[in-house]
Amino acid sequence: MKITILYGTETGNTEMLSEDLESEFGSDHEIEVKNLSAVAPEDLDLTVFHVFLCSSYGDGELPASAKPFAEALGASDADLSGLRFAIFGLGDSDYETFGHGSEQLADMLVKHKAQQVGPRLIHDAQGGDLAEDLAFPWFEERVAEVEALSDAA
């Protein structure tokens, strides 16, 4: 399956997790990893499954590398019908705005008619799990859901 992993990061954690996902699943799927700062909404290939990884920064804001994409999407009337995506957040539950960055991004995509596959999961920096311990099984489940949707079509 063709999968594009798009990450929004402030400190590099989602970039590292994106690379970990590519390393873990790249032999089974055709995976491309991109920083959201290098992607425009009109560049999204509607035939590819997109996995967004996004942290939160400051008061629940999008991280620096996600802002250009979000601003472009917010200013556009892009129709993302047919785009299937999943979203994984990184955050810290010490903050009231825990996970708001990934939530904002997911809401924007849905507003433009993209279809979210499965639940958004958020890794908590205060928890005992490593991000990849949550992301790997979550990723496998999302891919299986998309494959099942494609088989049913």
Side-chain angles (χ1 to χ4, degrees):
M1 171 186 296
K2 286 187 177 183
I3 302 168
T4 298
I5 299 174
L6 300 169
Y7 65 88
T9 192
E10 190 77 33
T11 62
N13 290 333
T14 56
E15 179 179 10
M16 288 187 293
L17 182 57
S18 297
E19 292 167 355
D20 290 345
L21 285 167
E22 180 183 30
S23 294
E24 182 71 15
F25 299 103
S27 61
D28 297 328
H29 304 283
E30 188 178 328
I31 297 177
E32 183 175 18
V33 175
K34 295 181 181 181
N35 189 325
L36 270 171
S37 66
V39 178
E42 59 271 10
D43 295 338
L44 298 176
D45 182 345
L46 302 182
T47 67
V48 174
F49 178 47
H50 288 76
V51 176
F52 290 84
L53 278 67
C54 187
S55 61
S56 296
Y57 189 73
D59 290 325
E61 300 160 14
L62 289 168
S65 77
K67 285 183 179 179
F69 176 84
E71 289 168 2
L73 185 58
S76 80
D77 58 356
D79 182 354
L80 299 179
S81 297
L83 178 82
R84 291 184 176 144
F85 77 95
I87 189 157
F88 187 92
L90 281 83
D92 186 330
S93 62
D94 274 353
Y95 296 91
E96 286 182 35
T97 55
F98 173 61
H100 283 190
S102 60
E103 181 179 32
Q104 287 177 47
L105 187 56
D107 289 348
M108 292 180 78
L109 291 163
V110 169
K111 180 181 175 188
H112 287 272
K113 301 181 183 160
Q115 177 189 0
Q116 184 173 335
V117 176
R120 177 175 59 100
L121 186 61
I122 308 165
H123 174 260
D124 183 359
Q126 297 300 316
D129 295 314
L130 297 173
E132 58 267 22
D133 292 340
L134 297 176
F136 286 6
W138 171 88
F139 183 89
E140 284 183 298
E141 291 169 9
R142 302 299 71 82
V143 169
E145 285 180 57
V146 170
E147 288 175 335
L149 289 169
S150 297
D151 289 345

